[in-house]
């Protein structure tokens, strides 16, 4: 008998695609069919062939190798951005929900204000004063995630703080910090894990969009969004140049979305 | 109801205060010396000092903030260094591109998503439902700017039906202007439509499980009436909420699509300002767009209270 998770088509398909992404990224650290940065002007803008299965870009660089290396960028930016969003949001949600009163009210208004800055806008703001790059991408995307994590955490804290086990722990003399860390946070985690899973593909899309706009990863470092930016000028010469990086983003995001949906169904069957 | 509105308005004012403070801190405080940042390495010390003086950067930060905020409230967002024009005026000249683009995309989003979501819900766990979900899952996975590039590839490069980008302005006529915005609006709306399909399906499914729907069916009410009158109207509240919140996302998405289709909107204004280190323009555009998103969220919040009286008493 297969485990329940493997019988869930959405979860299994999502997990397989995600595993393929991680494997590609890991493989690119030790092997790529060609050097992703090596230029070859005579071999520029080639269509897919045996030597270059995904063709070459405007500098003759192997697109497959660059897509493989770009997977590392996407995963790194996605993970760190979700980490920033989750860290900041959980902290704000815990403090606001546990403290209540004017502290909660003030923090929630701050969260409302941050919601006015989607990743693109936050990146525009940061790039005006700092050099564009992966760090700006991670911070901008992470900040955009803070409101969702903060609201979710606060909601769970408000619900949990009235529960008997928390009231009992408090009656036994438990201090605020200990109550929050030992009793509230572990019980608030499951929906936050689902939120992190569903935020990850959004982060990858945002990273690609920022790199496309020139606000994220900078050349010559491979990034899927950046490759699409470069491909736009050569659409009529080599359309494949735009198709493969975009396909890589779409497949990755599809896999992660399916994984997130499957995980949510498995953790909370009521939503299935 | 009056108390509910008053509370929401107070929250809006506080939120807008935080928005302005965040923009001010990033542009004026984080760089240390904005004048040096604008002048770059090529600026002489005297020129930097003159700029610092003209921008009022020698005064204490709280004074600078209050002056800037006071100006912003009067519509004075400063002066562009690159264009030597008021930032507010620059925003107003670019708004007739970004706003219609976002509105066209919103129209496309609603026109596609609501019927598809309704169809999926009323054909739950049948082929049509699965197909709609697969389409929406694909829609959510495709980046907006890639959809834009693929649309250019198909309709401009391959078929030659439309230009690959550019905008001649509304003075060139309604149809030429709309035609320039059509492909970017489709690319922008496609992603958001995919999100709304899922929200619509889920909202309609929730209502279809209600007792009053079962009662209506038991009474022999036709399926068309059950769906159109009893179900859809009640499912509209969450659908309107999600669609409203997506308007803000459309504004942000428009910034990306403007780059794909070379449209002279707010996003391109801000991107150009970054290259030119024109901090007042970046500050003005981000403040304007972020405030717009916060106001849209406020209107949605308020509409929710009007549509569902239970919200007001919570």
């Amino acid at each position: 008998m297969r485990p329940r998770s493997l019988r869930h088509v959405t979860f299994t398909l999502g997990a397989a695609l995600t595993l393929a992404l991680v494997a590609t990224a890991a493989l690119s650290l030790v092997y790529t069919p060609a050097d992703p940065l090596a230029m070859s002007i005579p071999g520029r803008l080639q269509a897919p062939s045996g030597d270059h299965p995904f063709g070459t870009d405007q500098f003759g660089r192997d697109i497959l190798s660059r897509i493989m290396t770009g997977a590392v960028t996407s995963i790194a930016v996605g993970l760190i951005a979700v980490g920033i969003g989750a860290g900041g949001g959980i902290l704000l949600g815990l403090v606001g929900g546990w403290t209540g009163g004017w502290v909660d009210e003030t923090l929630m208004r701050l969260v409302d204000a941050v919601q006015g800055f989607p990743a693109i806008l936050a990146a525009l703001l940061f790039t005006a004063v700092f050099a564009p790059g992966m760090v700006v991408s991670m911070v901008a995307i992470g900040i955009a995630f803070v409101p969702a994590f903060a609201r979710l955490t606060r909601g769970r804290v408000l619900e949990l703080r009235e529960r008997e086990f928390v009231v009992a722990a408090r009656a036994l003399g438990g201090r605020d910090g200990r109550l929050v860390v030992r009793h509230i946070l572990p019980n608030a985690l499951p929906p936050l894990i689902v939120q992190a899973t569903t935020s990850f593909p959004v982060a990858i899309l945002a990273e690609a969009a920022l790199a496309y706009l020139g606000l994220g990863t900078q050349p010559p470092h491979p990034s899927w969004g950046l490759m699409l930016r470069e491909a736009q000028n050569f659409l009529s010469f080599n359309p494949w140049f735009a198709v493969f990086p975009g396909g890589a983003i779409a497949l990755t995001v599809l896999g992660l979305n399916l994984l997130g949906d499957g995980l949510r169904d498995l953790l909370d069957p009521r939503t299935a | 109801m009056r108390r509910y509105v008053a509370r929401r308005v107070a929250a809006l004012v506080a939120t807008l205060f935080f928005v302005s403070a965040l923009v001010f801190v990033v542009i004026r405080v984080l760089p240390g010396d904005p004048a040096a940042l604008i002048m770059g390495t090529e600026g002489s010390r005297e020129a930097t000092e003159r700029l610092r003086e003209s921008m009022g950067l020698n005064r204490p930060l709280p004074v600078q903030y209050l002056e800037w905020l006071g100006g912003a409230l009067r519509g004075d967002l400063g002066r562009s260094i690159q264009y030597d024009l008021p930032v507010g005026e620059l925003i107003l000249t670019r708004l007739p591109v970004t706003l219609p683009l976002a509105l066209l995309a919103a129209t496309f989003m609603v026109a596609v998503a609501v019927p598809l979501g309704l169809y999926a819900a009323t054909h739950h766990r049948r082929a049509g439902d699965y197909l709609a979900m697969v389409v929406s899952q694909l829609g959510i996975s495709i980046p907006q700017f890639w959809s834009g590039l693929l649309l250019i590839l198909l309709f401009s490069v391959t078929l030659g039906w439309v230009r690959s980008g550019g905008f001649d302005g509304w003075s060139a006529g309604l149809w030429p202007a709309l035609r320039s915005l059509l492909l970017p609006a489709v690319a922008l709306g496609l992603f958001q439509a995919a999100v709304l399909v899922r929200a619509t399906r889920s909202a309609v499914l929730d209502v279809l499980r209600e007792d009053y729907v079962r009662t209506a069916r038991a009474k022999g009410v036709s399926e068309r009436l059950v769906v159109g009158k009893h179900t859809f109207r009640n499912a509209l509240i969450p659908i309107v909420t999600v669609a409203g919140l997506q308007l803000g996302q459309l504004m942000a998405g428009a910034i990306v699509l403007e780059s794909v289709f070379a449209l002279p909107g707010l996003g391109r204004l801000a991107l150009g300002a970054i290259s030119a280190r024109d901090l007042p323009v970046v500050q003005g555009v981000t403040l304007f767009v972020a405030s717009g998103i916060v106001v849209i969220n406020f209107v949605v919040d308020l509409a929710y209270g009007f549509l569902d009286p239970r919200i007001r008493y919570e």
Side-chain angles (χ1 to χ4, degrees):
Chain A
M1 184 76 180
R2 287 179 300 165
R4 188 169 150 246
S5 56
L6 285 182
R7 278 180 281 131
H8 196 287
V9 178
T10 310
F11 179 84
T12 312
L13 193 60
L17 283 170
T18 307
L19 207 64
L21 165 78
V22 175
T24 306
L27 180 66
S28 77
L29 296 175
V30 289
Y31 168 78
T32 48
D35 180 349
L37 301 180
M39 295 192 248
S40 162
I41 299 303
R44 61 204 291 265
L45 294 172
Q46 282 181 12
S49 64
D51 286 345
H52 302 284
F54 287 1
T56 57
D57 69 5
Q58 80 275 28
F59 296 118
R61 295 174 298 195
D62 182 53
I63 292 178
L64 173 62
S65 304
R66 289 181 67 75
I67 286 179
M68 286 175 72
T69 317
V72 180
T73 310
S74 288
I75 292 177
V77 173
L79 280 179
I80 295 173
V82 172
I84 291 171
I90 290 172
L91 186 69
L92 288 176
L94 283 176
V95 173
W98 185 256
T99 316
W102 68 269
V103 174
D104 181 34
E105 196 60 38
T106 309
L107 288 180
M108 284 307 108
R109 294 298 75 80
L110 180 62
V111 165
D112 284 347
V114 174
Q115 202 170 14
F117 295 88
I120 305 289
L121 207 57
L124 278 175
L125 202 56
F126 283 120
T127 319
V129 290
F130 302 111
M134 273 168 71
V135 176
V136 165
S137 282
M138 291 166 185
V139 174
I141 300 166
I143 287 175
F145 286 149
V146 165
F149 280 100
R151 290 223 172 80
L152 202 56
T153 310
R154 177 179 174 270
R156 287 293 289 160
V157 174
L158 290 178
E159 195 186 321
L160 289 166
R161 60 182 287 178
E162 306 303 332
R163 295 276 284 274
E164 281 170 2
F165 67 93
V166 178
V167 175
R170 194 189 284 149
L172 287 170
R175 282 178 303 168
D176 281 357
R178 190 180 157 81
L179 287 174
V180 168
V181 174
R182 292 289 298 271
H183 298 285
I184 300 279
L185 189 57
N187 285 291
L189 273 182
L192 293 171
I193 291 171
V194 174
Q195 179 64 34
T197 325
T198 51
S199 300
F200 192 47
V202 181
I204 287 181
L205 281 176
E207 188 276 329
L210 293 181
Y212 174 81
L213 289 175
L215 304 176
T217 313
Q218 296 295 302
H221 197 80
S223 151
W224 296 339
L226 192 59
M227 290 173 80
L228 283 175
R229 176 190 172 92
E230 292 166 346
Q232 187 168 3
N233 296 325
F234 304 98
L235 276 182
S236 45
F237 301 109
N238 183 11
W240 296 108
F241 187 8
V243 170
F244 287 116
I249 300 172
L251 264 183
T252 301
V253 174
L254 178 68
L256 290 164
N257 277 335
L258 292 174
L259 183 69
D261 284 358
L263 205 62
R264 192 185 51 218
D265 292 352
L266 290 168
L267 288 176
D268 184 7
R270 285 171 303 174
T271 60
Chain B
M1 187 66 199
R2 210 175 292 168
R3 259 189 67 191
Y4 172 77
V5 174
R7 259 186 25 223
R8 299 312 312 157
V9 170
L12 171 72
V13 172
T15 306
L16 287 174
F17 166 76
F18 276 122
V19 167
S20 67
L22 287 172
V23 172
F24 182 82
V25 166
V26 175
I27 296 285
R28 294 275 185 104
V29 183
L30 287 188
D33 185 358
L37 183 81
I38 292 166
M39 295 303 287
T41 46
E42 62 269 30
S44 68
R45 187 182 289 180
E46 291 74 29
T48 308
E49 185 52 43
R50 272 200 305 277
L51 181 65
R52 197 176 290 133
E53 189 71 39
S54 71
M55 287 178 75
L57 299 174
N58 290 329
R59 278 165 289 174
L61 278 173
V63 176
Q64 287 182 44
Y65 171 68
L66 288 175
E67 272 190 1
W68 173 71
L69 185 63
L73 288 172
R74 293 190 304 272
D76 174 13
L77 291 166
R79 203 166 180 86
S80 161
I81 294 162
Q82 187 186 5
Y83 298 100
D84 196 24
L85 285 168
V87 174
E89 200 179 305
L90 282 172
I91 290 176
L92 284 180
T93 55
R94 303 300 183 105
L95 209 54
V97 178
T98 306
L99 203 59
L101 172 59
L103 289 175
L104 263 179
T107 311
F108 175 80
M109 168 185 86
V110 173
V112 170
V114 173
L116 198 60
L118 194 61
Y119 178 83
T122 51
H123 293 75
H124 188 42
R125 299 206 168 153
R126 280 189 264 165
D129 180 25
Y130 290 125
L131 188 67
M133 284 304 95
V134 168
V135 170
S136 87
Q137 191 66 261
L138 288 175
I140 291 170
S141 307
I142 295 176
Q144 292 163 341
F145 59 98
W146 192 46
S147 319
L149 288 179
L150 292 180
L151 288 172
I152 291 175
L153 199 57
L154 177 65
F155 291 104
S156 175
V157 177
T158 310
L159 299 172
W161 288 358
V162 286
R163 285 194 327 193
S164 60
F167 184 75
D168 295 332
W170 293 96
S171 54
L174 184 66
W175 174 237
L178 277 177
R179 209 171 54 171
S180 302
L181 296 179
L182 221 52
L183 285 190
V186 169
L188 184 57
L190 209 62
F191 180 87
Q192 301 297 343
V195 178
L196 191 60
V197 167
R198 287 155 73 104
T200 306
R201 174 182 177 269
S202 160
V204 173
L205 274 179
D206 278 350
V207 178
L208 280 172
R209 291 180 187 129
E210 292 284 346
D211 286 341
Y212 60 82
V213 172
R214 195 175 305 128
T215 308
R217 280 182 174 147
K219 281 166 67 182
V221 176
S222 72
E223 194 58 23
R224 180 178 286 226
L225 263 182
V226 166
V227 174
K229 190 177 168 191
H230 297 277
T231 308
F232 186 60
R233 277 173 60 173
N234 285 299
L236 260 182
I237 297 168
I239 296 171
V240 167
T241 310
V242 173
L245 291 174
Q246 282 178 286
L247 284 178
Q249 296 299 319
L250 286 174
M251 285 290 283
I255 292 173
V256 186
L257 266 303
E258 282 170 15
S259 275
V260 179
F261 289 90
L263 299 173
L266 282 179
R268 295 247 296 173
L269 175 67
L271 284 170
I274 286 173
S275 316
R277 287 179 293 203
D278 194 348
L279 290 190
V281 170
V282 181
Q283 196 174 17
V285 172
T286 44
L287 178 72
F288 181 81
V289 177
S291 304
I293 292 173
V294 166
V295 170
I296 290 171
N297 292 348
F298 162 77
V299 173
V300 171
D301 224 12
L302 215 56
Y304 208 0
F306 274 106
L307 292 169
D308 188 349
R310 286 170 300 184
I311 303 291
R312 292 176 229 162
Y313 301 108
E314 273 175 13

